[in-house]
Amino acid sequence: MGKKLDIVGVGTVAIDIIRTKEGKKMSLGGDVANTMAFLQQLGLQTGFIGRVGSDKYGKAIVKDLASRSIDISRLRVHKTYPTTQCNIEISGKEREIISVKYSKQISISPPDNEYMKSARSLLVRTRSPYSEALCSFAKESK
């Protein structure tokens, strides 16, 4: 990673499988991953720390994030754990989340710390199991 990032997001990335009466489509999911995609569209340089599986959904997410020019050098592809999936059904104006299959959360490693230090800002999902540790990291990195 050569260029300085404006913001790094740490959190869950998922594949949203959306079913409508017209059929089924897949879309990038996960609040932090979607936020990084939006900020990248606004012209910020973004990066993401997270985990996907080596399944077809993980491959689709890697391709999607890379096509948006989001730095994914700290995105892990896990051989055993599947990609987080969110099954959504839309009928008319109603949207219902049918099921969410969560994958194993990432653990933060020393290279992640250096990566986060290289960014101007850090976005962490508020209810993540690693929020407290990351808040401590952010305070120490000032």
Side-chain angles (χ1 to χ4, degrees):
M1 196 207 76
K3 60 188 170 189
K4 179 143 177 105
L5 296 172
D6 295 305
I7 186 165
V8 167
V10 182
T12 302
V13 61
I15 194 79
D16 288 347
I17 302 167
I18 304 165
R19 290 178 175 79
T20 66
K21 63 182 177 184
E22 289 82 29
K24 176 175 93 168
K25 71 175 190 169
M26 294 189 306
S27 177
L28 179 65
D31 51 354
V32 177
N34 278 315
T35 301
M36 293 302 100
F38 178 70
L39 292 172
Q40 188 76 25
Q41 279 185 314
L42 291 176
L44 295 175
Q45 297 300 310
T46 64
F48 185 76
I49 299 173
R51 173 182 282 151
V52 295
S54 61
D55 52 28
K56 67 179 180 180
Y57 300 126
K59 290 175 184 165
I61 288 170
V62 168
K63 184 177 178 180
D64 186 334
L65 293 174
S67 76
R68 297 169 190 255
S69 299
I70 296 168
D71 184 84
I72 55 172
S73 61
R74 299 306 306 155
L75 179 68
R76 273 75 143 198
V77 179
H78 201 282
K79 293 179 181 169
T80 306
Y81 297 106
T83 301
T84 296
Q85 300 171 40
C86 184
N87 292 291
I88 302 166
E89 193 168 294
I90 299 175
S91 60
K93 294 182 181 179
E94 298 296 317
R95 180 184 85 160
E96 182 178 356
I97 296 176
I98 304 300
S99 67
V100 179
K101 297 177 186 173
Y102 287 102
S103 184
K104 183 179 167 123
Q105 295 290 331
I106 63 162
S107 56
I108 303 301
S109 65
D112 293 324
N113 292 338
E114 292 306 311
Y115 183 74
M116 290 184 289
K117 282 182 189 177
S118 74
R120 291 183 180 96
S121 299
L122 181 64
L123 175 66
V124 181
R125 185 169 173 255
T126 56
R127 288 179 284 189
S128 98
Y130 36 79
S131 299
E132 191 174 313
L134 288 171
C135 287
S136 296
F137 166 81
K139 287 177 186 174
E140 293 169 9
S141 296
K142 282 186 179 180

